[in-house]
Amino acid sequence: MITVTYLPLFVTILFRGMPGIWKSRHRLILCWLVFMQALYPGRKTLEELARWTPAQITVWRFRRLLKASDWNIHVLVEWWVQEALNTLPPPKDGTLFLVGDGSEKPKRGTRNPLAQKGRKSEHHPWFFGMRFALLIVNWDVYRFPVAFRLIRPKTHPAYQPENALFREMVGRFVPPPWAKQVIVEGDAAYGSQDNMKMVIQRDADDPARRWGFVFAIARTWKTVEDKAIKDLVTHLPRKYYQRIRVPRLPGSKGCKTFWVYSTRLCLRHIGDVTVVLSKRGRNIGPKHTKILVTNLDEWIPTGGQCIPTKMARGANQ
């Protein structure tokens, strides 16, 4: 690695349309920070990045930029997302997937006001750090985040639940013109009534495209006949499952195999949906069976060929 003495012209051209929300030389410092993040192959700490920049681009300038309160990171992320969506080639079927995901960043210091302690379940280890919710867009071979929100501790005055932050990000997302269908996906943590109703309402308010959802749900959900979903998972004979092969990405070998079963049910507070049971093997028990729900009628397996292959694959990852 050699010292970079000037910012390349293509970087300046690339960030020319950046929103004008800057003071002092923060816009130039941000260009340097993003460029060095992409260029430097080692640890992405500010001290390491500043070692290979001109003498005027110092560590304290990077830190002052990141701590400044006069610019909004979410505005920049939305601008970057729209630029990427307008540049990358669209899919042939015009389908865009929005995936909700949660993650955390471990921290060592205990004075961070947004750091918290917890764990995902009793089978996961404890962690201390910052939690955040991600909204990821993907189609074909492209996958990149489009929004994020920090999850504050419950004792914080501005605390919001993770699902509320997820609905806010989906509500603010503007699909590209080529998107004819937007499918919102999430694991069991995002499979709530409010999230499903939000997608249904977004579909009613957007006549230009269709909105659908694919969520993993808990076994405690019930139908309008007061029958629990867990009874279907536990007592369904394995002969009703169909074998589905999901091809891998181009350049990789082999394929993934899932055993799925789908049926139409009327769930409480949601209405008529398609419920899909998915597992990795035919002889796997009900404890390792994933439950998916969708309002897309065309994603029903017929003869083991069509399906919700992405539903089956996403639930078992």
Side-chain angles (χ1 to χ4, degrees), residues 139-170:
W139 75 90
D140 292 342
V141 296
Y142 302 103
R143 174 183 171 93
F144 55 90
V146 297
F148 75 95
R149 294 292 186 274
L150 288 175
I151 303 176
R152 296 176 172 85
K154 293 185 177 180
T155 56
H156 196 279
Y159 166 76
Q160 285 185 295
E162 185 174 356
N163 281 315
L165 299 175
F166 172 72
R167 291 191 294 271
E168 177 189 352
M169 291 188 292
V170 176

Side-chain angles (χ1 to χ4, degrees), residues 232 235-244 259-263 277 279 282 301 304:
L232 175 64
H235 303 293
L236 181 68
R238 62 183 182 182
K239 65 179 181 180
Y240 292 106
Y241 285 89
Q242 299 179 10
R243 187 178 183 179
I244 303 296
W259 293 83
V260 300
Y261 168 81
S262 69
T263 183
L277 309 183
K279 55 184 181 179
R282 184 170 182 265

Side-chain angles (χ1 to χ4, degrees), residues 122-134:
E122 60 181 358
H123 305 291
H124 290 80
W126 288 86
F127 81 96
F128 179 82
M130 300 175 62
R131 299 178 57 222
F132 55 92
L134 279 174

